Amino acid sequence: MKKPNAPSPYKFLDAYTREDAAFFFGREQEVEEAYTKVFQSRILLVYGASGTGKSSLIHCGLADKFKNSDWLPISIRRGGNISRSLKGQLQRMLAYPETAEGSTNSSATEIRNLVQQVFLDHFKPIYFIFDQFEELFIFGDNDEWRAFAHTLQTLLKSELDLHFIFVVRGDYLEYLNEFEKHIPGFFDNRLRVEKMSPHQAERSIMGPAEKAGIKIEAGFAESLLQRLSGRSKTVEPTFLQVYLDRLYREEQARNEGNNLQFSKAGLDQMGPIDDILAEFVDEQVYKMESPKLAWDILKCFVSLEGTKIPLRKEEVRQALNQLGSACSEEALNRNLEELVSKRILKSADEEGRLELRHDSLALKIYERISLQEKERLEVQRFLSLSFKEFQKRGTLLKEEDLAYVLPHQRKLDLSPEIQSFVQQSQKRSRSARRKARNQRIILLLILLLALSSLVGWYYTGQEKERANRAALIAQEASVKAQAEKARAEREKQKAEIQEAEALKQAQLASAARIRAEQESAKALAAEQQALREQNLARAAETKAYESAEEALRQKGIAEKARAEEERLRKLGLARQLALRAQQMEYPARAQLALQAYKIHIDEGGSKREPALYSALLSAYRGAQDQAFLQGIIPFKISAWQLLNQKLYLRDEEQKVYQWEAPLAKESASATLAWQSKHLLRKASSQELFSVEQNQLKVRTNSEEKILISRNGSDFRELALQARQMTCLKLSADGKWLAWGQEDGKVFLYQIANQSLRQMASHFSAVTDLQFDPSSSQFASSGYDRMVQVWTLDNLSQSPLRITDLAYWVAALQFEGGEHLWINTFEGHLYRMPLSSDRLFELLCDENLSAPSQREWQQWTDGQVELLKACQP
């Protein structure tokens, strides 16, 4: 009998979800880092190149780390508008969604009220996951993202337990710079997702195959990775998943679903891996009834930047008209259904939007869009943006804009509103051209009149000069005729000639003076022109200096950003090394923990980083079998107290003892110097639990209600209720109240502002809670052999954890703020340091030899140099 085909353990182009956790391999370190970071700040930014598996890391890896009772994930995509999409998802999470219907408002106040309703309905931390967040900047406008920034500011001010995870492509990080001005610290807590290393890729091949019962030939994984990566040291997860899914389906068809095996021979039959996605799309499209129409439909789902666009069916029809490829509604529906069945498009979401399965597909389809189609789409987008600007400010198209648009107007599918907008622009342009033409005609008439006046003046001067020359000739003739008659008057004539000569010289001098004045005017004009050119040169020089200074400033900013990114990379690497150290044997565990702590401190990391503390503690406990054990009490302890560096104990028979040497492994002896009233007292039947500090009393009653009294007043009931409480404690300053339960949950209540916070739970019942004397730290213990220590002024940071104790923990006591005493039910007393610096010193005192360069290269893949950890 033929065995039915099982679903592929590889995801093709889909992201992994929580239901796929059994087949999710290769990202264990990134998942641990994301789980740690998500508690360090209310905002986590996850970024990386397209196809690195960011969505799978969050929706599968991180999701699988949480219990259903520990988080409420709400996934949001932008859709048509990110605020409306956020509101729609919140309404779907309400216990009674109909109570929120009827309002179309998506303001910050409306969304804040919806978030509060959802929190009260589910009463667990809410995690908002904004996937493909770059869509807000690709498709949204400034008004949309500013409104969303205001909404996010409002939610961050809320006292509810809210977390925000933003998943964005790395090449769009620069768009978030403007966003950070509204949300300071937006970049502070971030996780970069890289392509897979060969080791990670091999785990993502072998792990799902083993779970699915697929046999793997020796050397298959190495051969496949060599084909995929070539000389590169990284692997594209998208290509790997597509290739493995195709190989799985071919093997399934070849063996009819029985005894599947991945072999190198199967790789040879698959052929070369030049362009898997392009080959897949070509193969599927050309099998369709109308490949050209299918390609046109796929082009509609790609933006001009090469990213995918979610569209409804009517929007696809409009986009096809813009490409000049109309089709009937029946043909469109048939092609869309077939593209979904061929795993190229995703099925429609709640809003009826379809989209490509992956950005990698968008890039392949973008390569098929012709230059003419791109130009037409660019003109269409330009007109849409210009029309929005016209609706806001009444700005029409300019002459050069019309020259850009009009050649394509007949080929565009424009709405009546945009057509009217173009016609108004053309009408105004024609009016402006007529006005300019009239102005040119008037100017030409003025110039003609001026020219006519100049010509008349010129001819008048010429006639006057001819008349003067004729008069001179007549005078000379008269002189000759009277020469004989005027000999007596010769002297007088000579005088007249001399006078005429003088007049002529005066005229020549006047002409020379006029020419000199003209040359002087030309020289002055040339000097003024030279001065203007000098001023322009100086302005250009000043602008060049300013540009150079701005370039230097931008270079400084870029260098600081690179330095900060490098620092964050090293801090992340230090935490990865700390996590890896706990998986190794001593002394390699200690060597790696020392190196991780040295890198972390040199880069300015926090001395209370939980991962570093756990690595150092685990390393030192590995070196000393009885590390931190102070002694074993030979009787069962019913109560104990640490005061003035002395430890007092009481047994089940109410006898009181003093531990004489807290730092030495000696037995306890009896003493009468201690009053038993200062020890923990047993509650009465009416007061299941009762604590008292500074005129403040807190107790519970038989109905598990919590009551409080100040300065001797009557007890009043708080709006709190414990479930199967196991312990109740007040801080020394009376500001904090804590209790633990049989289900392992730990609650911390701030009395002043009446805020309740659930801390990280234990895996079994809570046995004890303690505040340190300064009310700056808080510790819990449980039957899970684990102790957790929080810093009260930074509760968002993960706690220090002391795990894998040999026995169940009975009680805790702080020794100042630097040590914690731990008592087990078997009487073991431990004195644990709470300082990573102290653990670092203890490990350095072991005089361990540094790891070899080969070991260090293997541990870090050459990402950081080996340090001399224990030297100052």
Side-chain angles (χ1 to χ4, degrees):
M1 180 178 179
K2 181 179 178 180
K3 182 180 178 181
N5 289 343
S8 172
Y10 303 101
K11 296 297 292 181
F12 187 60
L13 291 173
D14 295 329
Y16 282 85
T17 63
R18 189 171 186 175
E19 289 70 22
D20 306 311
F23 299 102
F24 188 61
F25 289 86
R27 290 295 194 187
E28 290 79 7
Q29 291 185 0
E30 289 86 344
V31 169
E32 290 296 333
E33 186 173 359
Y35 185 67
T36 300
K37 284 180 174 288
V38 83
F39 296 107
Q40 293 178 355
S41 173
R42 300 182 78 175
I43 293 177
L44 173 61
L45 177 62
V46 181
Y47 68 99
S50 175
T52 53
K54 302 181 291 297
S55 297
S56 299
L57 178 68
I58 299 301
H59 292 291
C60 181
L62 180 61
D64 194 49
K65 296 285 289 184
F66 285 96
K67 296 179 180 178
N68 289 332
S69 59
D70 292 341
W71 82 328
L72 179 66
I74 301 178
S75 184
I76 302 101
R77 285 279 300 279
R78 174 184 174 271
N81 179 282
I82 193 166
S83 296
R84 289 200 300 269
S85 297
L86 173 57
K87 178 184 175 182
Q89 291 294 75
L90 287 169
Q91 289 175 331
R92 294 184 184 95
M93 300 302 295
L94 290 173
Y96 302 97
E98 64 275 6
T99 61
E101 293 180 357
S103 172
T104 59
N105 184 19
S106 57
S107 66
T109 303
E110 177 77 8
I111 291 176
R112 180 195 62 195
N113 294 338
L114 277 173
V115 170
Q116 190 169 4
Q117 285 183 259
V118 171
F119 185 82
L120 292 175
D121 285 347
H122 297 271
F123 202 69
K124 51 187 175 181
I126 299 177
Y127 288 78
F128 295 98
I129 303 171
F130 293 92
D131 204 355
Q132 299 187 34
F133 190 58
E134 67 273 4
E135 292 177 343
L136 175 60
F137 303 98
I138 297 174
F139 306 117
D141 55 20
N142 291 342
D143 292 340
E144 180 182 349
W145 72 257
R146 285 194 180 113
F148 176 71
H150 177 59
T151 299
L152 183 56
Q153 285 176 321
T154 303
L155 295 179
L156 287 171
K157 293 176 182 177
S158 170
E159 295 182 357
L160 301 177
D161 195 355
L162 307 179
H163 302 263
F164 303 87
I165 302 174
F166 295 92
V167 183
V168 63
R169 278 173 49 178
D171 48 349
Y172 284 92
L173 279 182
E174 60 180 295
Y175 291 86
L176 299 179
N177 290 331
E178 191 70 21
F179 197 73
E180 190 183 29
K181 294 178 182 178
H182 299 269
I183 311 294
F186 190 81
F187 284 99
D188 290 354
N189 191 34
R190 53 186 173 177
L191 172 63
R192 179 184 178 90
V193 183
E194 303 282 1
K195 296 179 182 178
M196 281 187 167
S197 67
H199 174 70
Q200 291 175 314
E202 184 173 352
R203 283 189 52 76
S204 70
I205 297 171
M206 306 294 287
E210 182 179 349
K211 289 289 184 180
I214 303 171
K215 297 179 181 180
I216 303 289
E217 180 185 358
F220 168 81
E222 293 84 350
S223 179
L224 173 56
L225 293 178
Q226 180 62 32
R227 290 173 179 237
L228 279 174
S229 60
R231 297 182 179 179
S232 175
K233 294 183 179 180
T234 57
V235 178
E236 289 273 4
T238 301
F239 291 167
L240 180 60
Q241 288 293 322
V242 170
Y243 196 82
L244 286 169
D245 179 80
R246 182 173 177 180
L247 180 63
Y248 176 85
R249 293 178 185 279
E250 291 195 3
E251 286 293 323
Q252 198 174 51
R254 187 180 300 115
N255 296 283
E256 297 184 348
N258 299 311
N259 301 321
L260 299 185
Q261 180 178 7
F262 285 171
S263 62
K264 290 185 282 187
L267 291 179
D268 294 336
Q269 293 177 10
M270 286 275 290
I273 313 174
D274 294 331
D275 194 339
I276 302 171
L277 284 178
E279 181 181 343
F280 166 76
V281 176
D282 288 342
E283 179 183 347
Q284 298 301 319
V285 169
Y286 285 115
K287 288 180 181 179
M288 296 178 67
E289 180 182 350
S290 175
K292 182 182 183 304
L293 177 58
W295 275 117
D296 289 341
I297 292 174
L298 290 177
K299 291 174 184 178
C300 297
F301 289 94
V302 181
S303 70
L304 292 175
E305 290 78 14
T307 60
K308 59 182 182 179
I309 309 174
L311 298 174
R312 297 186 180 93
K313 286 184 180 179
E314 57 269 22
E315 293 172 333
V316 176
R317 181 182 299 280
Q318 293 174 5
L320 281 174
N321 291 336
Q322 294 168 12
L323 288 171
S325 178
C327 68
S328 65
E329 183 176 357
E330 180 183 359
L332 177 60
N333 291 336
R334 186 170 61 253
N335 277 272
L336 289 175
E337 291 173 1
E338 189 170 357
L339 288 170
V340 171
S341 67
K342 289 181 178 294
R343 301 188 298 165
I344 298 176
L345 292 180
K346 289 184 179 179
S347 300
D349 60 13
E350 297 88 348
E351 297 182 358
R353 296 177 182 272
L354 300 97
E355 66 176 347
L356 295 170
R357 282 185 175 265
H358 201 275
D359 274 333
S360 300
L361 279 178
L363 289 174
K364 299 303 176 186
I365 297 170
Y366 180 76
E367 294 171 358
R368 301 293 296 266
I369 301 178
S370 67
L371 292 176
Q372 292 180 346
E373 291 171 334
K374 290 178 183 176
E375 187 175 22
R376 191 184 307 168
L377 292 174
E378 287 175 354
V379 171
Q380 183 80 31
R381 185 169 70 170
F382 171 74
L383 279 175
S384 298
L385 294 175
S386 299
F387 182 65
K388 290 181 181 178
E389 190 70 17
F390 169 72
Q391 290 176 317
K392 291 181 181 178
R393 300 179 177 85
T395 306
L396 293 170
L397 295 172
K398 298 179 182 179
E399 188 73 26
E400 56 270 22
D401 297 335
L402 289 169
Y404 172 60
V405 169
L406 292 178
H408 305 277
Q409 185 176 6
R410 293 183 179 178
K411 300 178 181 178
L412 300 176
D413 180 35
L414 302 178
S415 65
E417 293 82 3
I418 295 181
Q419 287 179 351
S420 175
F421 164 61
V422 175
Q423 289 170 359
Q424 290 182 53
S425 300
Q426 288 177 301
K427 184 176 180 181
R428 190 195 67 172
S429 177
R430 287 194 295 270
S431 175
R433 286 199 300 271
R434 283 196 299 269
K435 184 177 179 181
R437 185 174 67 250
N438 293 336
Q439 289 176 347
R440 288 195 297 271
I441 292 172
I442 293 171
L443 181 60
L444 181 60
L445 290 174
I446 293 172
L447 289 174
L448 288 174
L449 289 173
L451 183 60
S452 299
S453 299
L454 288 173
V455 171
W457 176 81
Y458 174 76
Y459 282 110
T460 301
Q462 289 292 322
E463 290 299 324
K464 186 177 180 180
E465 186 178 355
R466 290 194 194 98
N468 289 337
R469 284 200 299 269
L472 182 60
I473 293 171
Q475 185 180 2
E476 290 176 354
S478 177
V479 170
K480 289 180 180 180
Q482 296 178 2
E484 292 295 332
K485 183 179 179 180
R487 288 180 182 178
E489 299 178 355
R490 188 171 294 168
E491 292 298 329
K492 181 180 179 181
Q493 186 179 5
K494 288 182 180 179
E496 291 176 352
I497 294 173
Q498 290 175 355
E499 183 180 358
E501 184 65 26
L503 179 61
K504 183 179 179 180
Q505 292 298 325
Q507 290 176 345
L508 292 174
S510 178
R513 179 176 59 79
I514 292 173
R515 285 196 299 272
E517 289 176 353
Q518 291 175 344
E519 293 297 328
S520 176
K522 291 181 179 179
L524 180 60
E527 182 179 358
Q528 292 176 345
Q529 179 64 24
L531 183 60
R532 285 196 295 271
E533 292 179 353
Q534 184 180 6
N535 290 336
L536 290 174
R538 288 176 179 173
E541 183 180 3
T542 302
K543 186 174 182 181
Y545 281 129
E546 291 175 352
S547 299
E549 291 176 356
E550 177 63 17
L552 290 174
R553 189 179 73 83
Q554 293 296 333
K555 180 180 179 182
I557 293 173
E559 289 176 350
K560 287 182 181 179
R562 285 194 294 271
E564 178 63 14
E565 183 176 0
E566 177 63 15
R567 188 182 79 85
L568 293 174
R569 185 188 71 82
K570 288 186 177 179
L571 289 176
L573 178 61
R575 288 191 290 272
Q576 293 178 12
L577 295 179
L579 293 172
R580 186 178 299 177
Q582 299 179 58
Q583 302 171 2
M584 304 182 72
E585 299 295 332
Y586 187 86
R589 178 191 303 175
Q591 293 170 334
L592 197 53
L594 287 171
Q595 291 289 330
Y597 186 73
K598 180 67 173 175
I599 295 171
H600 186 79
I601 294 302
D602 287 350
E603 297 300 327
S606 169
K607 293 186 177 181
R608 284 190 66 88
E609 168 62 39
L612 271 298
Y613 176 83
S614 297
L616 293 168
L617 181 64
S618 174
Y620 189 70
R621 289 169 68 186
Q624 307 288 335
D625 291 338
Q626 297 297 326
F628 313 118
L629 179 64
Q630 297 297 303
I632 303 176
I633 307 303
F635 53 82
K636 291 187 177 180
I637 301 171
S638 63
W640 67 332
Q641 196 80 19
L642 180 66
L643 289 176
N644 301 324
Q645 300 300 316
K646 294 182 179 180
L647 185 64
Y648 297 93
L649 313 122
R650 186 171 66 196
D651 63 11
E652 294 178 334
E653 298 178 357
Q654 306 303 310
K655 292 181 181 180
V656 180
Y657 298 85
Q658 176 186 335
W659 181 264
E660 293 184 339
L663 304 181
K665 299 178 181 179
E666 300 179 6
S667 61
S669 60
T671 177
L672 299 178
W674 180 246
Q675 303 270 340
S676 63
K677 68 179 182 180
H678 293 289
L679 296 173
L680 300 177
R681 64 187 179 86
K682 185 176 181 181
S684 67
S685 60
Q686 295 300 318
E687 299 177 359
L688 302 182
F689 292 93
S690 178
V691 289
E692 179 178 350
Q693 289 285 358
N694 298 331
Q695 301 299 316
L696 181 68
K697 296 181 181 180
V698 180
R699 67 179 176 84
T700 61
N701 57 22
S702 58
E703 298 176 353
E704 296 186 313
K705 299 285 188 178
I706 299 178
L707 305 103
I708 187 168
S709 169
R710 289 185 183 275
N711 301 320
S713 63
D714 293 337
F715 280 93
R716 63 182 178 86
E717 185 175 305
L718 297 177
L720 304 171
Q721 184 169 4
R723 302 293 184 186
Q724 298 180 320
M725 182 185 291
T726 58
C727 48
L728 177 71
K729 289 294 166 67
L730 260 173
S731 62
D733 58 7
K735 295 180 179 179
W736 299 90
L737 175 67
W739 71 87
Q741 301 181 166
E742 286 188 2
D743 59 4
K745 293 181 179 178
V746 178
F747 292 91
L748 190 63
Y749 181 71
Q750 193 168 8
I751 298 174
N753 59 17
Q754 301 181 0
S755 65
L756 178 64
R757 186 185 186 101
Q758 180 179 338
M759 315 305 290
S761 301
H762 287 268
F763 299 108
S764 54
V766 181
T767 57
D768 194 19
L769 303 170
Q770 285 294 336
F771 293 91
D772 74 340
S774 65
S775 299
S776 62
Q777 296 184 87
F778 165 63
S780 68
S781 63
Y783 281 105
D784 54 2
R785 299 184 298 157
M786 180 172 69
V787 175
Q788 303 184 98
V789 183
W790 288 269
T791 302
L792 288 174
D793 60 359
N794 189 10
L795 290 173
S796 61
Q797 185 180 35
S798 299
L800 301 181
R801 287 189 173 91
I802 303 169
T803 58
D804 298 329
L805 292 166
Y807 305 95
W808 292 338
V809 179
L812 306 170
Q813 282 290 336
F814 278 97
E815 180 184 337
E818 298 297 324
H819 289 83
L820 181 69
W821 285 79
I822 301 174
N823 165 228
T824 69
F825 282 103
E826 285 74 16
H828 292 71
L829 280 176
Y830 295 91
R831 184 173 180 261
M832 306 296 296
L834 298 178
S835 166
S836 295
D837 286 344
R838 179 55 183 158
L839 292 171
F840 182 77
E841 293 171 359
L842 291 172
L843 275 178
C844 286
D845 291 343
E846 296 295 319
N847 294 322
L848 297 169
S849 60
S852 66
Q853 285 290 345
R854 181 178 179 183
E855 292 174 327
W856 184 247
Q857 181 74 14
Q858 182 180 1
W859 292 344
T860 66
D861 295 330
Q863 297 183 57
V864 69
E865 63 179 347
L866 178 63
L867 303 176
K868 295 182 179 179
C870 291
Q871 293 187 4

